[in-house]
Amino acid sequence: MVLRRLFDPKQPGFFVDVGAYHPKRYSNTYLLYRQGWRGINIDPNPDTHTLLKRLRPRDTSILAAVSSLEQISSYYMFEEPAFNTLDRVIATEYQKLTKLLREIQVNVRTLSTLLHENVPPGTSIDLFNVDVEGLDLQVLQSNDWSAFSPRIVLIEQFGLKIEDIAPTEIAKFLGNKGYAPIAKTINSVFYKRN
């Protein structure tokens, strides 16, 4: 609903969804897709990658994780896949909430590399949606902000009161890139380019 207020629903746009997870469930971009938007979905889960390709055919779906270093990394997959993460410490905490099913090795790429390879020439990005269970700042740091500067960045930031947003590393980083927080939901903060 916040995105509907920020964007003209009759004007299709372009998004990048990092940690896309699922084409519909818990998706911040599915409503936009249904309204004619298209974009790039990035997620390391091979099961949901197949679903993204099948149910969101206008989108480009990339099977990879995103962080500040390109490497092979462990990816912890849970019975509740919304908890899947690359972060070992967070994975240990999540095991108190849901069962760890397996650990797989995944390709980790920088956002800059993936966007340079996949954003069509001349395309402006309206929305970055970032939800990667613990590596959100590293995702932002891995972008080429001179080439890819969306109007809105929507990022998962749990457990914050409104007054707690400004001192976070994410808010400081985005502030240095010309963004300010403009809205908050229970789990996410919306940043708008000045």
Side-chain angles (χ1 to χ4, degrees):
M1 298 308 291
V2 176
L3 291 173
R4 187 178 281 172
R5 287 292 300 267
L6 293 172
F7 296 112
D8 179 353
K10 296 176 183 167
Q11 186 70 31
F14 193 88
F15 59 80
V16 174
D17 196 343
V18 183
Y21 165 60
H22 191 277
K24 297 179 182 179
R25 185 175 187 237
Y26 301 138
S27 176
N28 289 325
T29 59
Y30 180 59
L31 175 63
L32 298 172
Y33 180 84
R34 289 186 57 198
Q35 293 177 335
W37 285 49
R38 62 188 180 88
I40 297 172
N41 299 305
I42 307 167
D43 199 275
N45 185 332
D47 302 327
T48 56
H49 175 70
T50 302
L51 284 174
L52 283 161
K53 287 177 70 172
R54 186 168 45 112
L55 298 176
R56 307 260 295 258
R58 282 194 319 272
D59 290 347
T60 299
S61 293
I62 300 169
L63 181 62
V66 178
S67 191
S68 52
L69 293 174
E70 298 208 352
Q71 59 189 351
I72 303 296
S73 184
S74 293
Y75 180 60
Y76 304 92
M77 299 181 71
F78 290 91
E79 189 170 66
E80 170 46 73
F83 290 129
N84 292 354
T85 183
L86 294 175
D87 189 303
R88 180 184 309 244
V89 174
I90 290 175
T92 301
E93 288 300 310
Y94 283 167
Q95 287 181 65
K96 298 172 186 173
L97 304 171
T98 185
K99 182 180 178 185
L100 177 66
L101 297 178
R102 65 189 189 272
E103 176 184 335
I104 64 172
Q105 298 300 299
V106 297
N107 287 321
V108 180
R109 310 282 306 280
T110 65
L111 188 56
S112 174
T113 299
L114 291 173
L115 297 184
H116 279 289
E117 292 174 354
N118 292 282
V119 172
T123 301
S124 62
I125 300 172
D126 299 288
L127 172 68
F128 274 178
N129 183 72
V130 182
D131 180 356
V132 294
E133 305 305 317
L135 296 177
D136 306 87
L137 180 60
Q138 290 90 327
V139 168
L140 297 174
Q141 291 169 333
S142 78
N143 183 41
D144 176 355
W145 291 91
S146 63
F148 306 108
S149 182
R151 288 174 44 201
I152 301 291
V153 175
L154 171 55
I155 190 157
E156 184 176 65
Q157 289 185 272
F158 278 116
L160 297 178
K161 297 176 188 168
I162 290 172
E163 61 269 19
D164 296 335
I165 296 170
T168 66
E169 290 300 314
I170 288 172
K172 290 175 187 175
F173 178 84
L174 288 172
N176 288 332
K177 300 297 179 190
Y179 290 81
I182 57 161
K184 182 185 181 326
T185 63
I186 293 171
N187 295 333
S188 300
V189 178
F190 298 73
Y191 294 85
K192 185 176 182 183
R193 188 178 63 215
N194 297 328

